[in-house]
Amino acid sequence: MTRLPAWADYGLIPVLNLGLAFAVAALVIAALGEDPAAALEVLVAGAFVYEGALGYTLFYTASFIFTGLAVAVAFQARLFNIGAEGQAMLGGLGAAGLCLAFDAVLPALLMIPLAIAGAAAAGAAWGAVPGWLQARRGSHIVITTIMFNFLASGLVVGLLSGPLMRPGQSNAETRALAESARIAQWHEIAPLLGLEAGRSPLNLSILLAVAACIGVWWLIWRTRWGYALRCLGLAAPAAEYAGIPVARITVQAMAVSGALAGLMAVNTVLGAQGKLLINFTAGFGFTGIAVALMGRGHPFGVALAALLFGALYQGGAEFDFEFATITREMVLLVQGLIVLFTGALSQMLVPLVARALGRA
Amino acid sequence: MGWLDLLLTADSALRLATPLMLCAMAGMISERAGVIDIGLEGKMLAGAFTAAAAAALTGSAWAGLGAAMAVGAAMAALHGFACITHRGEQIISGVAINILASGLTVVVGIALFDQGGQSPPLGPEARFRPIVLPGVETLSGVPVLGPLWRELVSGHTLPTYLALAVVVGAWWMLGHTRFGLRLRAVGETPAAVDSAGLSVPGLRYRAVLIAGLLCGVAGAFLSTAHGAGFVREMSAGKGYIALAALVFGKWRPWPVLFACLLFGFLEAGAARLEGEVLPVIGRVPTQVILVLPYLATVLLLAGFFGRAVPPRALGTPYSKER
């Protein structure tokens, strides 16, 4: 095993892998007959410069922080949580379900914390069950979480086209939630502070996302539980021998992971859309895998990676307007390449870099 | 439901099970050799797009099938490069392949055809048409066998018959050939295969490439036999159902075939029962029927009925040096 200094391992290698992903994407763009440099320019302008663009970018960033942290926490225990998508869906059901039941009677000060707790609890439950099945019944977490994604999707479709459907409507969505269940958006708050802000779905959930980053960091690196979690990830037999309750930690890790994924619904359902829509998760649970890999499983890395993906999503949307042949799906391609190079092929460049640094 | 209704449901079940059989056999061969393949979905999607694109450009369904198999194999080679050559995480590589396929099919589709990611509709000569087997006429007067032969056995497209042949072939190959024995060994104890002087990466690459070819056929079925052209995300999770069938069938050819047919039958039944009112149950909740495969797989995997034991070296990259 080649060893690299920490700065190369955590700084250089991810940047090089990211560069490879972008280089391949640029080749694809060039092969399609467009100019990669122009595409990058559009991407950056679309993500940061245009009015309201930054708001959208940060809105997506908040969602990706939640799903990225979800995957990262589970991965600290070497658990592949492919199910963030389904857990986020359940989070939406939990939040929206409580809001539909109580938003007429509860004031915002009670309703919003309750809805946030509901999102976290529902997501946690949807994560804990596969965790329990792995810990106690020996089922493989990857297969179970994939299946749970489909079960969640069936549940959401079934409920939204039945009991939760807006009365008198044929669209599969809930009624609009009351004002008391909505999280304030930045463009509503900014004028109160004397600032200008373009319209965007950016809302106060991003503060929750930042708090989640700090919370996860503290949980994993500053608590006994986090120590047990990392032990389990590094060497499960050693953890078992040291008396760490492996099964319990597994279930708890998946519950925390699911809760974080569920919180994504706070940003999208309570913060942006104000109702539960079908497909509101939009594949962000899967993007969370890329975010966690890119961020090397560390909360601060996850936050940076989430910002990168937020910018890609928002900037990539501009492709539709600026180019004839490339569209926002280009971002999906970049995302796939990032998962490939920073995840599956993360070790490819290590020997090369080691040789360049004279350490082979 | 009358006898003919049942027959028609079985007929459509066989059609819906075709991509499942092909992908599940692909997954079985790859995973019995120790390489997890959750990229079945992506390879099938890429195959579906390639088949439709090549068939639209050349006017030949066969060109489509060939191109789809080539692209399936190319993506499989990428999977192999990442997790056999570079010992990367097999699950992450599979996820990458699924996302790449989602993005690439639409990006290339728009660049080629400028129809929002779809391919142009394919004419009859660019598609695989239903094959009428001999004997349909002669047997038409026979009471049970006649309709059975006409509705269920005859009238499928080439990929469906191919899928059934692949199941038999996979069973023969895995259980009754030297190559199959080696594949299974490499999925259980690769070190033993290595010390017998065989190349572990070589065998695993072959398994992964076969899987890619089969996923390509499954994709070609979707866009040039079952459908008449490519539509965005047309694999619609079938690769994951195939994965479920693979686990449900305990990584063994005949049980996997049974699982594919069962899941196909559930899907066909759900489509048939949509909106109907049955005597005892009332309005049939199709969502419930559609998620049954996933639920059944979860329960089986958890050992609530039966026991599914994966190949022992599944998911572990092989390193020669200790």
Side-chain angles (χ1 to χ4, degrees), chain B residues 6 16 27-28 30 33 46 48 50-51 98 107 153 158 162-163 210 224 245 297 302 311:
Chain B
L6 194 68
L16 291 168
M28 184 180 76
S30 176
T50 316
N98 288 337
V107 166
V153 182
L158 179 86
L162 207 57
I210 294 171
T224 61
T297 304

Side-chain angles (χ1 to χ4, degrees), chain A residues 57-71:
Chain A
T57 296
L58 291 176
F59 165 70
Y60 291 130
T61 302
S63 284
F64 293 145
I65 286 180
F66 288 125
T67 55
L69 283 178
V71 178

Side-chain angles (χ1 to χ4, degrees), chain A residues 340, chain B residues 42-43 46-47 50 66-82 93 97 100 104 205 208-216:
Chain A
L340 182 71
Chain B
K43 284 181 287 203
T50 316
M69 291 172 74
V71 163
M75 297 190 84
L78 183 66
H79 186 50
F81 179 70
S93 171
I97 280 171
L100 277 176
L104 263 178
Y205 259 108
V208 166
L209 285 175
I210 294 171
L213 293 171
L214 293 179
C215 289

Side-chain angles (χ1 to χ4, degrees), chain A residues 28 32 75 78 80 82 132-133 137-140 142-144 146-148 150-151 153-155 157-158 161 286-287 289-290 293 324-327 329-337 339-340 343-345 347-349, chain B residues 31 36 38 78 81-83 86-89 91-97 99-100 102-104 106-108 110-111 114 232-233 236-237 240-241 243-244 247 251 287 291-295 297-298 301-304 307:
Chain A
V28 172
L32 297 176
F75 200 64
R78 296 291 294 172
F80 275 111
I82 311 281
W132 180 82
L133 288 173
R137 314 285 315 190
S139 1
H140 197 301
V142 172
I143 307 278
T144 323
I146 289 175
M147 298 305 135
F148 266 62
F150 287 99
L151 292 173
S153 165
L155 191 63
V157 173
S161 50
F286 295 110
T287 309
I289 299 170
L293 288 170
T325 50
I326 52 178
T327 56
E329 277 76 17
M330 202 60 220
V331 172
L332 213 51
L333 180 65
V334 173
Q335 186 185 327
L337 290 168
V339 175
L340 182 71
L345 286 170
Q347 296 301 306
M348 184 173 67
L349 293 176
Chain B
E31 300 207 345
I36 299 179
I38 66 170
L78 183 66
F81 179 70
C83 47
H86 286 288
R87 301 188 196 117
E89 283 288 353
I91 289 153
I92 295 178
S93 171
V95 169
I97 280 171
I99 302 176
L100 277 176
S102 263
L104 263 178
V106 178
V107 166
V108 179
I110 288 174
D114 201 15
R232 272 177 189 222
E233 300 295 333
Y240 294 111
I241 300 199
L243 203 62
V247 177
W251 288 271
Q287 284 308 324
V291 300
L292 278 180
Y294 308 116
L295 196 62
T297 304
V298 167
L301 203 57
F304 288 116
R307 195 96 193 96

Side-chain angles (χ1 to χ4, degrees), chain A residues 183-186 189 201-209 267 271:
Chain A
I183 290 179
Q185 296 189 340
W186 174 239
I189 307 167
L202 176 64
N203 59 80
L204 290 181
S205 309
I206 193 159
L207 299 180
L208 185 66
N267 189 37

Side-chain angles (χ1 to χ4, degrees), chain A residues 14-66:
Chain A
V15 170
L16 287 177
N17 283 327
L18 189 64
L20 270 179
F22 276 106
V24 174
L27 283 177
V28 172
I29 292 178
L32 297 176
E34 299 283 356
D35 178 13
L40 186 63
E41 218 168 285
V42 168
L43 189 78
V44 172
F48 299 107
V49 180
Y50 297 148
E51 187 182 334
L54 186 62
Y56 272 94
T57 296
L58 291 176
F59 165 70
Y60 291 130
T61 302
S63 284
F64 293 145
I65 286 180
F66 288 125

